[in-house]
Amino acid sequence: MGTISSKSSDSSHGGREGGGQLYVSLKMENFRIRADLIPHVYGSVPIIGSWDSAKAFSMERESASMWELSFVVPPNHETLDFKFLLKPKYRNSPCVVEEGPNRVLTGGTLEGDARMAVFKLRGDEDVLECKVFIKADIVSPFDLAASWRAYQENLRPSRVRGIPDITINVVPDSGVENGSAASLELDLEQYVVPAPTTSSGVVYAANLTESPRSLFHTGISSKSGITSNSLHSSTKAALSSADCSNIRKDIEVTVPEPSRAFPISGMVESKSVGTFSTFQKQDGQRGLFVDRGVGSPRLVKSASASAFVSDLKLDAEAKGMPAAAGAVAAAAVADQMHGPKEDCRLAIVLVGLPARGKTFTAAKLTRYLRWLGHETKHFNVGKYRRLKHGANQSADFFRADNREGLEARNEVAALAMEDMLAWMQEGGQVGIFDATNSSRCRRNMLMQMAEGKCKIIFLETICNDQRIIERNIRLKIQQSPDYAEEPNFEAGLRDFKERLANYEKVYEPVEEGSYIKMIDMVNGYGGQLQVNNISGYLPGRIVFFLVNTHLTPRPILLTRHGESLDNVHGTIGGDTVLSDAGELYAKKLAKFVEKRLKHEKTASIWTSTLQRTILTANPIVGFPKIQWRALDEINSGVCDGMTYEEIKKNMPEEYEYALKPHSRSRKKDKLRYRYPRGESYLDVIQRLEPVIIELERQRAPVVVISHQAVLRALYAYFADRPLKEIPHIEVPLHTIIEIQMGVTGVQEKRYKLMD
């Protein structure tokens, strides 16, 4: 016999008022139905609105014996009047209508007794009885959207099933289209379009750091002297203790440690196998080492490393929380609850001789931390010095026996530190303090100023490659404002080398406090990372970033997939194939990549796991292709497969809150907005962090074929754009964004291959 079920038969109107809709499922089961007879349904609105059997709706085969038809009932049609019928598939013979009265469903409740569907095929002799299942539910628009998306995906199977995650296309024989160099008539420069924000020229990294507000707030011009009255009392005390003229080098400097530290025995942790072994210290070396040579990195925690222990403490104000989701947010909350209060603010103090890549390393680290959501600023002491004392100081100014010069340099360092600490008190989280800081006296002064206010980690850059040092020196002469007024390059070169010699005479490597040492890691081949007394989530992320970063020049090409059918229809999300225009772009992109990277044999192509990016990459040959789940488009949840007009109609509150295109209302936080059962931009940033780390680690060019939201987040990292701007960054279709990474920073170039 037939069955009927309804979850809200007695309160359907109440459910409808709450935003739900009546969803009806009709099923019919019989093993004896012939293959040439297809079950149909006909009747009143909203099924077909006609009792003409020629217009009856066909039921879909759910299994060998089950047929099903489901639909949504509009609010103004609560009563359904219908019947089942069997319709011949291949001939024009009459339809067989079920016996008995019409079936009436009102508000999800079946009137009368549930019964089987009885069909008389040849008079009274051949009777077919079928079980009937009628189910009515009040469901939300979100559930309806999800079920429709699943139906569409099953209806249109993927064209890229069976393609492995890693593929390498063989270069086709000469004469084959897109494979022959002779067939390339592509002039790349004709496709160049202006970049919207970032400069394509070389910019001196120190010029992009924070402006000295302490100089301007006290009314002091860049050429005038500075009085001691403009300094905080604690800064004056630290400056007085920084007089190194009577301090012998063999005297150990007292290091204030705000945290209670307890040494633990030295152990070696192998990340690849999860085992431990005793660590034997090498002469003249301390701390944790990461060997970036052949094989997996070895993480070695030294005997001098310490673990921070403190009572559980919750900061009710919860200041200094990053604009982040996932692991970063969880770690920040944990640090607020468990860590010392000063540990919530972190100062990364650069240490190293000139021309060792300190400023470039600081700029990369600043960009990375900002992108993760941490409020980070880069303070360059050289910028303070130039604004205070002028840019044309000779090498004599940097001599250790020049007491006036030493006092002036310590004074501007104290001013920069004071500015950084004041900014932290206002909510700043991570300050990057960029200077040589080459003596223990200077570092001791900084630690005294920071005591109880923030945790200091020294980041020392050491380079022993004379070729790299010479290259950096020449770049310094060409770009630094210190030599902008020096017309003679050779004269500037001699002066800088004399300045460098002055620093080398008194340089003291870091051996105190918490520190990270980067030793010969500039070019990304080999090198060491030495770490001491480092703990906590954020310092750990910094170590992980630094061990994977280098300054080897290489391009990174970012592009969206070719136009898809969903782009044509204006729907978001989905997993459709390319349109005709999208397929044309895929061919043009292949030609572009072949010409642009024809000398780059180790380049690679990265795509998402969605078929529109894989199909866009298909024509590219000769390079390995790697699918990343992390590069998939932002998960639009229940809105997947819907147009903005459909969202506006069915979910007006969601649309007005954050989905309205080009809306910049302060009330609408598109960065944090999370699609129902989907993702936010902050979620996307969290899953993209491994992609960023790998892009930094790669020494060869990479072509990233992905989606709009993902490329917005990646582009924001390289262009150092504020997080709040990410949802509004324009990443047009059929355009290639070339990011050039190297010792001179990041430059951008754009190519538009087609409209």
Side-chain angles (χ1 to χ4, degrees):
M1 59 183 298
T3 62
I4 174 70
S5 65
S6 174
K7 292 184 180 179
S8 6
S9 59
D10 58 344
S11 57
S12 62
H13 292 283
R16 305 294 287 278
E17 292 173 358
Q21 291 182 277
L22 183 61
Y23 175 83
V24 177
S25 172
L26 307 178
K27 294 186 179 183
M28 193 166 64
E29 182 183 36
N30 189 287
F31 290 93
R32 293 181 52 231
I33 296 180
R34 300 199 312 261
D36 63 332
L37 293 177
I38 308 300
H40 283 63
V41 178
Y42 75 144
S44 66
V45 175
I47 300 178
I48 58 171
S50 171
W51 290 99
D52 183 356
S53 61
K55 298 180 181 180
F57 275 164
S58 172
M59 300 180 75
E60 297 288 336
R61 185 185 289 275
E62 188 178 74
S63 64
S65 61
M66 185 74 74
W67 299 77
E68 192 261 352
L69 175 67
S70 58
F71 49 89
V72 177
V73 180
N76 57 338
H77 293 94
E78 293 290 344
T79 300
L80 307 179
D81 190 2
F82 64 94
K83 294 188 79 171
F84 295 101
L85 62 86
L86 299 178
K87 197 171 184 180
K89 185 176 183 180
Y90 302 112
R91 60 185 186 273
N92 295 324
S93 56
C95 299
V96 181
V97 181
E98 70 165 313
E99 300 294 315
N102 296 347
R103 299 175 186 268
V104 179
L105 194 70
T106 303
T109 302
L110 184 67
E111 295 183 2
D113 296 332
R115 69 180 193 274
M116 301 180 72
V118 179
F119 300 93
K120 294 183 178 180
L121 302 182
R122 287 187 297 272
D124 296 333
E125 299 177 357
D126 190 0
V127 177
L128 179 67
E129 294 183 341
C130 301
K131 291 182 179 179
V132 174
F133 304 89
I134 302 176
K135 184 178 181 181
D137 289 326
I138 299 296
V139 297
S140 70
F142 294 166
D143 291 325
L144 288 174
S147 63
W148 173 250
R149 182 174 68 253
Y151 171 75
Q152 289 290 84
E153 290 174 353
N154 292 329
L155 184 65
R156 295 178 294 179
S158 171
R159 279 174 45 187
V160 299
R161 284 179 182 167
I163 295 180
D165 290 347
I166 301 176
T167 57
I168 301 179
N169 293 47
V170 179
V171 179
D173 297 332
S174 59
V176 179
E177 184 181 1
N178 295 335
S180 172
S183 68
L184 281 175
E185 299 177 355
L186 189 65
D187 180 9
L188 303 187
E189 293 303 316
Q190 70 173 309
Y191 295 102
V192 173
V193 294
T197 53
T198 58
S199 172
S200 58
V202 176
V203 179
Y204 187 57
N207 290 343
L208 303 178
T209 59
E210 292 305 306
S211 297
R213 60 179 179 177
S214 56
L215 295 180
F216 301 132
H217 288 180
T218 54
I220 301 172
S221 68
S222 61
K223 298 293 183 182
S224 63
I226 181 171
T227 65
S228 60
N229 291 332
S230 62
L231 294 172
H232 192 274
S233 58
S234 62
T235 306
K236 296 178 188 177
L239 273 172
S240 63
S241 69
D243 185 354
C244 301
S245 58
N246 297 321
I247 298 180
R248 301 196 316 271
K249 289 188 178 180
D250 58 345
I251 295 180
E252 184 70 25
V253 178
T254 302
V255 181
E257 176 56 67
S259 306
R260 292 181 293 162
F262 301 93
I264 60 176
S265 58
M267 299 295 286
V268 178
E269 180 182 0
S270 171
K271 293 297 183 182
S272 59
V273 296
T275 59
F276 292 86
S277 61
T278 306
F279 168 53
Q280 301 296 331
K281 281 190 180 180
Q282 303 177 36
D283 293 340
Q285 296 176 335
R286 300 175 57 183
L288 180 153
F289 293 88
V290 179
D291 185 353
R292 293 205 314 187
V294 178
S296 301
R298 295 182 296 109
L299 298 186
V300 185
K301 183 171 285 188
S302 74
S304 62
S306 59
F308 295 105
V309 180
S310 63
D311 296 331
L312 177 64
K313 185 176 181 180
L314 177 64
D315 184 358
E317 297 180 358
K319 292 181 179 178
M321 297 298 292
V328 173
V333 171
D335 287 347
Q336 286 275 10
M337 295 174 65
H338 301 287
K341 189 173 182 179
E342 58 270 19
D343 280 8
C344 297
R345 294 178 288 273
L346 185 62
I348 305 297
V349 176
L350 274 294
V351 178
L353 292 168
R356 264 55 176 186
K358 296 186 303 298
T359 297
F360 293 127
T361 301
K364 288 169 73 76
L365 185 57
T366 300
R367 190 172 72 237
Y368 170 70
L369 294 175
R370 282 175 178 167
W371 184 78
L372 282 183
H374 299 280
E375 191 69 27
T376 306
K377 284 190 176 182
H378 181 184
F379 295 82
N380 181 268
V381 176
K383 187 174 185 178
Y384 279 70
R385 170 180 54 78
R386 284 185 285 273
L387 288 170
K388 170 65 183 69
H389 299 288
N392 54 350
Q393 299 293 332
S394 69
D396 289 340
F397 181 80
F398 302 93
R399 291 203 327 264
D401 57 357
N402 181 348
R403 189 176 185 85
E404 183 178 347
L406 180 63
E407 290 178 352
R409 286 185 282 126
N410 282 336
E411 210 160 27
V412 291
L415 279 172
M417 189 67 173
E418 197 170 70
D419 277 359
M420 187 174 75
L421 294 173
W423 166 75
M424 286 182 174
Q425 293 297 319
E426 297 167 0
Q429 296 165 16
V430 184
I432 313 291
F433 189 83
D434 182 10
T436 56
N437 301 313
S438 54
S439 69
R440 282 183 290 177
C441 296
R442 164 73 71 83
R443 298 192 292 268
N444 192 43
M445 177 192 80
L446 299 177
M447 286 191 290
Q448 288 184 25
M449 293 179 67
E451 186 172 7
K453 300 175 183 176
C454 69
K455 177 178 176 60
I456 281 185
I457 295 178
F458 293 111
L459 174 56
E460 185 176 13
T461 59
I462 300 172
C463 180
N464 299 307
D465 189 328
Q466 291 301 317
R467 180 182 56 85
I468 294 176
I469 295 173
E470 186 68 24
R471 179 197 65 186
N472 290 348
I473 290 175
R474 291 184 174 274
L475 286 173
K476 190 89 169 180
I477 305 304
Q478 294 169 359
Q479 300 176 13
S480 173
D482 285 348
Y483 296 96
E485 299 179 7
E486 175 56 70
N488 190 319
F489 179 85
E490 294 301 326
L493 187 62
R494 287 192 299 271
D495 180 84
F496 187 82
K497 287 187 174 180
E498 186 179 344
R499 179 198 299 189
L500 180 56
N502 289 334
Y503 275 108
E504 288 175 337
K505 292 175 184 177
V506 295
Y507 186 78
E508 297 174 293
V510 176
E511 295 181 347
E512 67 271 19
S514 300
Y515 63 76
I516 304 168
K517 291 193 179 190
M518 299 177 66
I519 305 172
D520 293 327
M521 297 179 67
V522 174
N523 61 8
Y525 293 93
Q528 276 186 352
L529 193 77
Q530 182 179 348
V531 179
N532 184 72
N533 198 19
I534 298 296
S535 65
Y537 176 82
L538 186 54
R541 300 312 302 167
I542 291 173
V543 170
F544 185 65
F545 175 77
L546 293 175
V547 80
N548 287 289
T549 190
H550 55 87
L551 297 177
T552 304
R554 76 278 189 197
I556 294 174
L557 305 178
L558 308 176
T559 183
R560 288 174 66 183
H561 53 80
E563 181 187 64
S564 69
L565 294 181
D566 277 337
N567 293 138
V568 175
H569 300 146
T571 57
I572 61 177
D575 190 19
T576 58
V577 297
L578 301 179
S579 67
D580 291 341
E583 291 181 355
L584 177 61
Y585 176 71
K587 296 176 182 178
K588 288 195 171 189
L589 177 64
K591 288 186 176 183
F592 178 93
V593 170
E594 182 177 354
K595 188 163 188 177
R596 175 65 183 85
L597 304 180
K598 61 183 177 181
H599 300 301
E600 302 287 353
K601 303 303 181 183
T602 58
S604 57
I605 314 298
W606 296 0
T607 72
S608 73
T609 63
L610 300 176
Q611 61 177 337
R612 54 189 182 272
T613 64
I614 300 172
L615 294 173
T616 302
N618 265 355
I620 302 175
V621 295
F623 301 104
K625 298 171 187 174
I626 304 166
Q627 298 177 25
W628 285 68
R629 180 73 181 226
L631 290 175
D632 284 3
E633 178 61 298
I634 187 171
N635 183 353
S636 50
V638 300
C639 298
D640 191 277
M642 301 174 70
T643 66
Y644 281 112
E645 284 300 317
E646 289 172 337
I647 297 173
K648 182 178 181 180
K649 179 180 179 180
N650 297 320
M651 294 177 279
E653 292 184 0
E654 298 291 332
Y655 180 84
E656 289 298 327
Y657 179 75
L659 296 177
K660 191 174 183 180
H662 311 301
S663 173
R664 289 180 177 268
S665 171
R666 287 297 175 192
K667 294 171 62 178
K668 301 172 176 61
D669 190 349
K670 291 191 176 183
L671 178 68
R672 293 173 176 80
Y673 170 76
R674 181 175 286 117
Y675 283 97
R677 304 183 187 176
E679 288 182 306
S680 68
Y681 273 94
L682 289 179
D683 295 328
V684 172
I685 289 172
Q686 285 298 298
R687 66 170 158 95
L688 282 177
E689 187 188 8
V691 178
I692 288 296
I693 294 295
E694 189 58 27
L695 285 173
E696 286 285 358
R697 195 187 70 83
Q698 291 281 322
R699 292 188 289 268
V702 177
V703 180
V704 180
I705 304 174
S706 189
H707 310 268
Q708 180 170 249
V710 171
L711 293 180
R712 280 171 169 169
L714 292 178
Y715 176 81
Y717 169 77
F718 292 112
D720 198 15
R721 296 279 289 272
L723 290 182
K724 64 182 180 181
E725 294 183 10
I726 289 180
H728 310 288
I729 294 175
E730 292 187 7
V731 184
L733 283 171
H734 306 155
T735 301
I736 300 167
I737 303 174
E738 179 176 326
I739 303 294
Q740 189 67 238
M741 300 177 65
V743 294
T744 55
V746 175
Q747 286 84 48
E748 175 189 350
K749 198 172 187 178
R750 292 199 175 200
Y751 304 88
K752 189 169 184 61
L753 299 191
M754 52 186 287
D755 295 328

